[in-house]
């Protein structure tokens, strides 16, 4: 099989209630810049990254796919994913301008498309190609009820609905309000609404300094917080290590780490308890798997960051032994031929061959903003 052509797209898909916010980002559309890789066998693969729907930066990613990496893939056998990953990741001109960020996001989209082709050619869902079994149970936790721009009343009502009506046994809410006592009030109200048996996670999206994170973090134990996510600036390794040592609540991070080397450093420093690699921040499935193995070797649980890439992450969670839980964010579901689905709080194993990334034609017509 040979690669014959690569098309790119940029989807901008509206988020829940037209806008969501955490302590750092305001998002109206989820962005999915990506590519469709065609082969001479008639099989095509789809892959994409995840962004906050900003067209000028999304274009940097699709330009990198088309003009930097595209020519390196022409005529190659898509089955040789590991070989192609190394070829692209270590292409000197690209490596020179970015071993993380845009070039990595572009490579991630390509790598996912290649694995999609490989699984389709084998006639298997990706989780099965990777050796997983659908007897494995993946618990879903919901992040689409906890946004920081929602009033306390809306927040509580939504978390209660997710638990009581939709059957979730875990919810994550955002913290990092201008006044930290507001955060404590929100946490207390949500804990009271959902009861003691449901997992409650908090996510500060890198907002605080070590001092604030320590004083707030000490209070979290009162509300049985399952993990404290991105308490401080993403790259502050010693700061996270200090919090991990001093707080009773476990630390979660990984959505802003771009490489296997980053994960190695945080894990070796004891700075993370729940490891959250993101297949579209790391350079695809190939590097995600390396990071997940690394975590597994340290007996750390892997709970992928979704950023609305449930599709691929679900396949990976089923297949990888370090995963038992996955985040649920529904924004892109309408775009897929076989969207990731939760029933009674647990994910359903996808059945179609591929990585789950095949888009409906209607999604490309409706949401593609690349012209
Ligand atoms: C919205 N998940 C996160 C979303 C998400 C962000 O800004 O992108 O909250 O990436 O922290 O855990
Ligand atoms: Mg987060």
């Amino acid at each position: 099989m040979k690669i014959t052509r690569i098309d790119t797209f940029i989807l901008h898909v509206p988020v829940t209630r037209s806008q969501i916010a955490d302590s750092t980002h305001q998002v109206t559309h989820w962005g999915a810049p990506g590519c469709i890789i065609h082969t001479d066998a008639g099989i095509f693969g789809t892959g994409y990254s995840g962004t906050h729907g900003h067209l000028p930066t999304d274009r940097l990613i699709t330009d990198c796919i088309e003009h930097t990496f595209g020519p390196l893939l022409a005529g190659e056998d898509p089955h040789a994913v590991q070989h192609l990953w190394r070829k692209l990741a270590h292409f000197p001109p690209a490596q020179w301008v970015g071993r993380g960020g845009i070039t990595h996001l572009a490579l991630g989209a390509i790598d996912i498309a290649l694995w999609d082709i490989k699984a389709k050619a084998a006639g298997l869902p990706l989780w099965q190609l990777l050796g997983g079994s659908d007897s494995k149970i993946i618990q879903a936790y919901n992040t689409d009820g906890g946004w920081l721009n929602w009033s306390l009343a809306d927040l509580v009502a939504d978390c209660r609905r997710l638990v009581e009506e939709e059957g979730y046994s875990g919810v994550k809410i955002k913290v990092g309000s201008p006044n930290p006592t507001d955060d404590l009030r929100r946490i207390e109200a949500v804990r009271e609404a959902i009861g003691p048996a449901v997992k409650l996670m908090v996510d500060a999206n890198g907002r605080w300094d070590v001092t604030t994170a320590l004083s707030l973090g000490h209070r979290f134990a009162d509300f049985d917080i399952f993990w404290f996510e991105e308490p401080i600036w993403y790259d502050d390794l010693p700061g996270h290590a200090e919090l991990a040592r001093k707080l009773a609540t476990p630390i979660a991070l990984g959505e802003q780490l771009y490489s296997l080397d980053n994960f190695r450093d945080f894990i070796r420093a004891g700075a993370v308890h729940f490891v959250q690699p993101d297949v579209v921040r790391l350079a695809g499935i190939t590097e995600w798997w390396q990071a997940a193995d690394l975590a597994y070797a340290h007996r750390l649980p892997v709970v992928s960051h979704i950023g609305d890439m449930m599709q691929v992450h679900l396949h990976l969670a089923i297949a990888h032994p370090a995963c038992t839980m996955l985040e649920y964010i529904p924004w892109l579901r309408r775009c897929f031929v076989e969207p990731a689905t939760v029933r009674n709080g647990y994910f359903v194993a996808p059945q179609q061959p591929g990585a789950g990334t095949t888009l409906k034609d209607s999604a490309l017509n409706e949401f593609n903003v690349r012209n």
Side-chain angles (χ1 to χ4, degrees):
M1 203 186 331
K2 285 194 181 358
I3 294 170
T4 51
R5 198 177 85 236
I6 302 179
D7 297 328
T8 60
F9 57 81
I10 299 172
L11 304 186
H12 282 183
V13 183
V15 303
T16 310
R17 296 192 203 171
S18 76
Q19 183 171 12
I20 55 94
D22 58 33
S23 69
T24 310
H25 318 99
Q26 299 213 343
V27 182
T28 60
H29 290 75
W30 193 255
C35 59
I36 299 177
I37 299 182
H38 298 270
T39 66
D40 61 359
I43 295 174
F44 64 90
T46 308
Y48 48 93
S49 186
T51 71
H52 289 170
H54 180 248
L55 190 55
T57 41
D58 288 346
R59 277 191 198 287
L60 297 173
I61 298 170
T62 49
D63 279 356
C64 182
I65 294 172
E66 261 184 56
H67 305 303
T68 300
F69 290 140
L72 302 175
L73 292 168
E76 289 278 8
D77 177 357
H79 278 306
V81 187
Q82 301 282 355
H83 162 76
L84 293 174
W85 191 92
R86 281 194 63 79
K87 177 177 172 180
L88 271 48
H90 297 291
F91 178 52
Q95 175 177 294
W96 185 266
V97 299
R99 293 188 301 282
I102 291 156
T103 53
H104 231 61
L105 271 55
L107 176 52
I110 289 169
D111 181 82
I112 291 164
L114 294 175
W115 280 100
D116 187 36
I117 292 173
K118 203 174 169 70
K120 281 178 175 167
L124 300 171
L126 180 67
W127 58 261
Q128 208 167 12
L129 181 78
L130 294 171
S133 157
D134 58 2
S135 63
K136 176 153 170 208
I137 290 167
I138 303 294
Q139 185 188 11
Y141 79 88
N142 197 307
T143 302
D144 202 31
W147 300 108
L148 207 55
N149 55 328
W150 293 6
S151 70
L152 180 64
D154 278 0
L155 172 74
V156 168
D158 227 75
C159 288
R160 199 195 295 274
R161 179 184 61 81
L162 289 172
V163 170
E164 290 176 3
E165 289 170 35
E166 298 199 27
Y168 284 93
S169 50
V171 293
K172 184 163 83 187
I173 68 172
K174 298 294 180 179
V175 293
S177 305
N179 182 352
T181 51
D182 289 341
D183 292 316
L184 286 174
R185 208 155 355 109
R186 289 163 79 87
I187 291 170
E188 186 175 9
V190 169
R191 174 49 87 198
E192 184 161 333
I194 62 177
V198 174
K199 290 191 179 94
L200 176 59
M201 287 68 91
V202 301
D203 186 356
N205 287 91
R207 183 73 179 180
W208 286 326
D209 54 27
V210 173
T211 314
T212 312
L214 267 180
S215 68
L216 269 274
H218 281 308
R219 309 282 301 277
F220 291 168
D222 298 342
F223 306 106
D224 193 18
I225 298 302
F226 192 69
W227 74 55
F228 184 5
E229 181 169 325
E230 293 199 316
I232 56 174
W233 176 247
Y234 320 115
D235 296 321
D236 184 353
L237 188 154
H240 282 103
E242 182 181 346
L243 295 175
R245 263 196 323 274
K246 293 185 176 168
L247 291 176
T249 304
I251 301 296
L253 58 85
E255 67 178 81
Q256 298 272 348
L257 300 185
Y258 286 95
S259 70
L260 179 63
D261 303 77
N262 288 158
F263 279 95
R264 178 204 55 219
D265 293 343
F266 272 78
I267 288 173
R268 277 176 66 169
V272 54
H273 299 113
F274 286 91
V275 183
Q276 301 180 300
D278 183 330
V279 73
V280 304
R281 273 301 182 55
L282 289 164
I285 291 164
T286 301
E287 197 173 27
W288 182 98
W289 197 271
Q290 294 166 357
D293 275 350
L294 175 73
Y296 190 58
H298 291 79
R299 295 297 179 263
L300 295 172
V302 170
V303 189
S304 290
H305 170 250
I306 288 298
D308 215 345
M309 274 297 284
M310 281 190 300
Q311 299 298 118
V312 179
H313 282 124
L314 175 55
H315 287 264
L316 298 175
I318 293 172
H320 200 282
C323 302
T324 56
M325 215 176 142
L326 195 63
E327 183 172 18
Y328 182 87
I329 299 181
W331 307 326
L332 254 58
R333 287 190 80 246
R334 67 187 100 170
C335 297
F336 298 105
V337 171
E338 190 188 24
T341 299
V342 169
R343 215 170 282 144
N344 303 322
Y346 294 92
F347 279 95
V348 178
Q351 295 304 319
Q352 294 189 12
T357 49
T358 305
L359 295 164
K360 288 183 190 158
D361 290 340
S362 60
L364 283 165
N365 292 332
E366 192 178 346
F367 300 122
N368 191 6
V369 293
R370 178 150 172 75
N371 46 41

